[in-house]
Amino acid sequence: MMPITIRDVAKKAGVAPSTVSRVVADSSSISGKTKEKVRKVMDELNYFPNANAQRLAGSRSKTLGLVLPSASDAFYQNPFFPTVLRGINYAMSQNDYSILLSSGQTNHQRLKHIQKIVRGKQVEGLIFLYATKDDPLLAFAQESAIPSVVVGSPGDAKVHLVDNDNEELGRIATEHLIKKGCEKIAYIGGDMDQFFILDRLKGYKQALVANSLPFQEHFIHNDFSFLALDGYHLAQNTLKFAQYDGLVIADELVAEGIQKALTEEKNTQIKTMSFKAYEHPLYRPLTEEFYINLNSHLLGNRAVEILFDALADKEASKQRYIHEYISADIVPVRED
Amino acid sequence: MMPITIRDVAKKAGVAPSTVSRVVADSSSISGKTKEKVRKVMDELNYFPNANAQRLAGSRSKTLGLVLPSASDAFYQNPFFPTVLRGINYAMSQNDYSILLSSGQTNHQRLKHIQKIVRGKQVEGLIFLYATKDDPLLAFAQESAIPSVVVGSPGDAKVHLVDNDNEELGRIATEHLIKKGCEKIAYIGGDMDQFFILDRLKGYKQALVANSLPFQEHFIHNDFSFLALDGYHLAQNTLKFAQYDGLVIADELVAEGIQKALTEEKNTQIKTMSFKAYEHPLYRPLTEEFYINLNSHLLGNRAVEILFDALADKEASKQRYIHEYISADIVPVRED
DNA sequence: ACTTTTTGTGCAACCGCTTTCTTTATTTTC
DNA sequence: GAAAATAAAGAAAGCGGTTGCACAAAAAGT
């Protein structure tokens, strides 16, 4: 059974195919009368334009690519991911673009796939949901000059990017603990290839210096991956022997693990500050009165918006790369 | 700058465009010698086929649509979602299909979008990541006869579906508590439009009956939404006054909230059983020794596989609808 | 050695829409 | 009321592939 084409509509409406095409595009050079007539027929025939034909002829795919990191447990478990995605989805529903997911297990697979969808004209722009050093996919995006925005800060890449100001947040978090009277504060990091870990660390150091507290290399803990369980074990094994009175925990999952361990042993000596993708006041460790709400959904929101701006006037956007910080706020753990 | 087309490759390789096309498709009617020659030129020219042209001519989009529920917090917060997605992504990387996300805030927007991508021939199949009663999107999928698989059980819909056997799991969970000596067991449900909540409830009832425990209507708690915080409040306000000695908690987020509350007040009287999307042994409430690991990533895996089978021989798959249960297992909370 | 298959390529129509260029109809202007 | 200007719709040439069919060359059969 043949699908209904633009010609079927044209014939039944008594106009030319080109006219129907213009009606679909809501072109201003078609009279209201004609539009109405054609639209009626489109409804009757239940016509939907073939997107592939539209794209081939019009060369706009109305689709954005979403680049995920190699499927790692840590990424998928982290609330950051669904939260940003929610923001993206929200922004997308304001326009009629679609999202295409990149896939692939290995880096090589992922590069192949992204090449295919970019060079194959399936997507008009790319959103990277992670930022690591020397990422081959990002390199490809730059050389192929497709509008791209990175959620996070991949060094000095020549792309748009949107992120929290992690250096400042690291500072704020640390200073908050200092104000609360902490004097021996550890920094719990994680994967040192992730820029936000490094940036928050910078802020942490600044805060110590600014408050004349000694900075010591062994206050920094990075020897574990990004899973909550690692945080839990870290808290059980390492931290409690180190006599810390404060912890700045850069990763959300790790923070959950640590805070759980501390709560279980009713440890209220060690205060913590952590960063959460969004507000979820459930997680109310004994050890934390405030946390930093990163508003990660806004990252997704802005990423889409920036891409649209870039798409709207490619030339202008090539001139300069937008580096935008989304504001985060310190939020009390309990509302009362 | 014109992109490189199949004709450019053909000319440089000294063959016809149709031959190049066949080389791209790795057709068996092209000799090895010619393939090699053409591939070399494709590399030199850095040729990538235009996906839109391929689809228009070949009418296969090599893309699957992923249908999400209306963006609700609860869904995006629930570990189920990223876990299934991980499974899907994994299965996708085994073939060269892509995933297109459905979007839209309102039901109407979502229906419009899905109609556009299905009728517009952007996707060959659909994966539903939720199952609710009388879903208009699912109705559309059925009437348009696009191969679809639902993760979850939408009543008696004529589509493929893959799910855990929630009725049995409800029974197993409840019986586990009974074996541990519980006699007054509550069922904590949630959104009664979700089939898995109802199915697990059925199993719960069966277990009570089978063990001659009285079933009482007010043992069932459904008066709240799906957020962890709700579980937390429920535990603080309602449950502790009800003298339960066991809880079967149908939703993972709610379970977290409840278990957190119980842990905080060191309540070890109330044993709980909950269902988790995957293994994450961090969450170790005092009140739970075992949980049910749903292996949700396998749902994603199988959903993709089923869709591919359906795509491979459309006729055969229309005959019968695959209803497949993914096995879940009871897992001890701690490994030791 | 000559017909019959088999194999490997090319030709050309077509997929369904967009868009430039023209033509025709309708106003506006003097 | 004729000429010029403007608005509305059509004709046709792509967009970049795929694929049924024709055809030549090579392999096989007698």
Side-chain angles (χ1 to χ4, degrees):
Chain A
M1 142 258 187
M2 287 310 277
I4 288 135
T5 75
I6 207 169
R7 284 171 233 278
D8 301 323
V9 177
K11 192 182 296 176
K12 178 152 185 197
V15 298
S18 50
T19 302
V20 177
S21 172
R22 290 188 177 100
V23 172
V24 170
D26 200 20
S27 156
S28 67
S29 68
I30 298 287
S31 68
K33 226 179 304 174
T34 307
K35 277 185 186 170
E36 206 157 313
K37 179 176 62 180
V38 172
R39 290 212 178 99
K40 188 152 156 284
V41 175
M42 294 197 309
D43 272 358
E44 287 169 18
L45 259 35
N46 198 229
Y47 166 76
F48 278 82
N50 180 312
N52 303 308
Q54 283 183 313
R55 293 167 181 193
L56 177 56
S59 69
R60 302 192 42 202
S61 66
K62 296 251 189 187
T63 303
L64 265 28
L66 196 60
V67 187
L68 309 180
S70 301
S72 70
D73 258 15
F75 179 73
Y76 282 98
Q77 283 181 42
N78 203 305
F80 168 82
F81 165 58
T83 305
V84 177
L85 192 57
R86 180 160 60 87
I88 290 175
N89 226 323
Y90 177 77
M92 296 300 287
S93 63
Q94 313 297 94
N95 54 68
D96 64 335
Y97 270 62
S98 303
I99 284 282
L100 192 69
L101 287 185
S102 85
S103 66
Q105 297 300 110
T106 67
N107 252 341
H108 180 251
Q109 274 186 341
R110 294 169 61 237
L111 180 58
K112 278 284 168 238
H113 188 245
I114 202 183
Q115 287 184 141
K116 195 171 95 177
I117 67 176
V118 169
R119 300 286 314 270
K121 304 234 185 307
Q122 289 191 63
V123 295
E124 293 176 42
L126 250 26
I127 300 178
F128 284 77
L129 240 45
Y130 65 95
T132 47
K133 236 172 160 149
D134 304 322
D135 180 36
L137 302 217
L138 189 54
F140 167 75
Q142 291 187 238
E143 82 185 39
S144 68
I146 184 171
S148 309
V149 45
V150 176
V151 176
S153 310
D156 56 350
K158 289 196 172 39
V159 285
H160 303 296
L161 61 88
V162 44
D163 202 356
N164 302 111
D165 187 343
N166 286 307
E167 195 170 317
E168 197 198 343
L169 293 181
R171 193 160 43 68
I172 290 176
T174 310
E175 271 177 349
H176 178 85
L177 289 179
I178 295 174
K179 267 198 208 98
K180 293 288 177 186
C182 298
E183 297 188 324
K184 196 172 173 197
I185 303 172
Y187 180 82
I188 317 294
D191 183 355
M192 296 301 263
D193 276 351
Q194 301 277 353
F195 283 94
F196 75 93
I197 296 287
L198 296 171
D199 288 340
R200 289 176 192 167
L201 176 57
K202 277 187 208 155
Y204 159 82
K205 287 182 188 171
Q206 287 166 14
L208 292 189
V209 169
N211 291 273
S212 352
L213 286 175
F215 162 69
Q216 308 210 35
E217 208 51 66
H218 65 268
F219 281 11
I220 301 176
H221 294 264
N222 279 313
D223 39 355
F224 54 94
S225 76
F226 259 164
L227 294 170
L229 193 58
D230 296 303
Y232 188 77
H233 288 151
L234 189 73
Q236 291 189 309
N237 304 327
T238 311
L239 297 181
K240 63 171 143 190
F241 305 117
Q243 310 269 14
Y244 295 124
D245 54 8
L247 306 177
V248 174
I249 312 168
D251 180 72
E252 180 163 358
L253 273 180
V254 173
E256 279 186 22
I258 290 178
Q259 291 167 343
K260 183 167 187 61
L262 295 178
T263 301
E264 279 180 10
E265 45 188 64
K266 292 240 183 237
N267 183 332
T268 51
Q269 305 310 307
I270 305 184
K271 292 196 194 325
T272 63
M273 271 300 276
S274 67
F275 308 81
K276 299 190 189 304
Y278 59 102
E279 297 176 63
H280 38 181
L282 164 68
Y283 298 107
R284 186 172 78 169
L286 297 173
T287 60
E288 191 173 63
E289 292 164 0
F290 287 83
Y291 63 90
I292 290 186
N293 175 7
L294 299 170
N295 293 132
S296 299
H297 62 287
L298 295 181
L299 297 184
N301 258 303
R302 279 301 292 155
V304 172
E305 287 173 13
I306 288 174
L307 220 38
F308 277 128
D309 289 348
L311 253 27
D313 62 331
K314 281 202 173 182
E315 285 324 303
S317 81
K318 250 185 211 155
Q319 311 291 323
R320 69 194 180 81
Y321 296 99
I322 300 170
H323 288 198
E324 186 166 314
Y325 291 125
I326 296 297
S327 71
D329 20 64
I330 291 206
V331 179
V333 168
R334 55 187 86 203
E335 291 127 340
D336 47 50
Chain B
M1 140 260 188
M2 287 309 277
I4 287 132
T5 75
I6 206 169
R7 286 170 229 277
D8 300 324
V9 177
K11 191 183 295 177
K12 179 152 183 195
V15 298
S18 51
T19 302
V20 177
S21 173
R22 291 188 176 103
V23 171
V24 170
D26 201 20
S27 155
S28 67
S29 70
I30 298 288
S31 69
K33 225 179 303 173
T34 308
K35 277 184 186 170
E36 204 157 316
K37 180 175 62 181
V38 172
R39 290 212 177 100
K40 190 153 154 282
V41 175
M42 295 198 309
D43 271 358
E44 286 169 16
L45 259 33
N46 199 226
Y47 165 77
F48 277 82
N50 180 313
N52 303 307
Q54 283 183 314
R55 293 167 180 193
L56 176 57
S59 68
R60 301 193 40 204
S61 66
K62 295 251 189 186
T63 304
L64 263 31
L66 196 59
V67 187
L68 310 181
S70 302
S72 69
D73 257 15
F75 179 74
Y76 282 98
Q77 283 180 41
N78 203 305
F80 168 82
F81 165 58
T83 306
V84 177
L85 191 57
R86 180 159 60 88
I88 290 175
N89 226 323
Y90 177 78
M92 297 299 288
S93 63
Q94 314 294 99
N95 55 67
D96 63 337
Y97 270 62
S98 303
I99 283 283
L100 193 67
L101 287 185
S102 83
S103 66
Q105 298 300 111
T106 69
N107 252 341
H108 180 251
Q109 274 186 341
R110 293 169 62 236
L111 180 58
K112 279 285 165 236
H113 188 245
I114 203 183
Q115 286 185 139
K116 196 171 96 175
I117 67 176
V118 169
R119 301 287 314 273
K121 303 238 185 308
Q122 287 190 65
V123 296
E124 293 176 41
L126 249 26
I127 300 178
F128 284 76
L129 241 44
Y130 65 96
T132 47
K133 239 175 158 143
D134 303 322
D135 180 35
L137 301 217
L138 190 54
F140 167 75
Q142 291 187 237
E143 83 185 39
S144 68
I146 183 171
S148 309
V149 45
V150 176
V151 177
S153 310
D156 57 349
K158 289 196 172 38
V159 286
H160 303 295
L161 61 87
V162 45
D163 201 357
N164 301 113
D165 187 342
N166 286 306
E167 195 170 316
E168 197 198 343
L169 293 181
R171 192 159 46 66
I172 291 177
T174 311
E175 270 177 348
H176 179 85
L177 289 178
I178 295 174
K179 270 200 206 96
K180 293 289 176 184
C182 297
E183 296 187 326
K184 195 170 173 198
I185 302 172
Y187 180 81
I188 317 293
D191 182 355
M192 294 303 262
D193 276 352
Q194 300 277 355
F195 283 93
F196 75 92
I197 295 286
L198 296 171
D199 288 341
R200 289 177 192 165
L201 176 57
K202 277 187 207 156
Y204 159 82
K205 288 184 187 169
Q206 288 167 12
L208 292 189
V209 170
N211 290 272
S212 354
L213 286 175
F215 162 68
Q216 308 212 36
E217 207 52 65
H218 65 267
F219 281 12
I220 302 176
H221 294 264
N222 278 315
D223 39 354
F224 54 94
S225 75
F226 258 165
L227 294 171
L229 193 58
D230 296 302
Y232 188 76
H233 289 151
L234 190 73
Q236 291 189 310
N237 305 327
T238 310
L239 297 181
K240 61 171 144 191
F241 304 116
Q243 310 269 17
Y244 295 124
D245 55 8
L247 306 177
V248 174
I249 312 168
D251 180 72
E252 179 164 358
L253 272 181
V254 173
E256 280 187 23
I258 289 178
Q259 291 166 343
K260 183 169 187 60
L262 294 178
T263 301
E264 280 180 10
E265 44 187 68
K266 290 236 182 240
N267 183 332
T268 52
Q269 305 309 307
I270 305 184
K271 291 196 197 320
T272 63
M273 271 300 276
S274 67
F275 307 81
K276 300 189 190 303
Y278 60 102
E279 298 177 64
H280 38 181
L282 165 68
Y283 298 107
R284 187 172 78 169
L286 297 172
T287 60
E288 193 172 63
E289 293 164 0
F290 287 83
Y291 64 90
I292 291 186
N293 176 8
L294 299 169
N295 293 133
S296 299
H297 62 285
L298 296 181
L299 298 183
N301 257 303
R302 278 300 293 154
V304 172
E305 287 173 13
I306 288 173
L307 220 37
F308 277 127
D309 289 349
L311 252 27
D313 62 330
K314 282 203 173 183
E315 285 324 302
S317 81
K318 248 185 215 159
Q319 312 291 327
R320 70 194 180 81
Y321 296 99
I322 300 170
H323 288 197
E324 186 165 314
Y325 292 124
I326 295 297
S327 71
D329 20 63
I330 291 206
V331 179
V333 168
R334 54 187 85 201
E335 291 125 341
D336 46 52

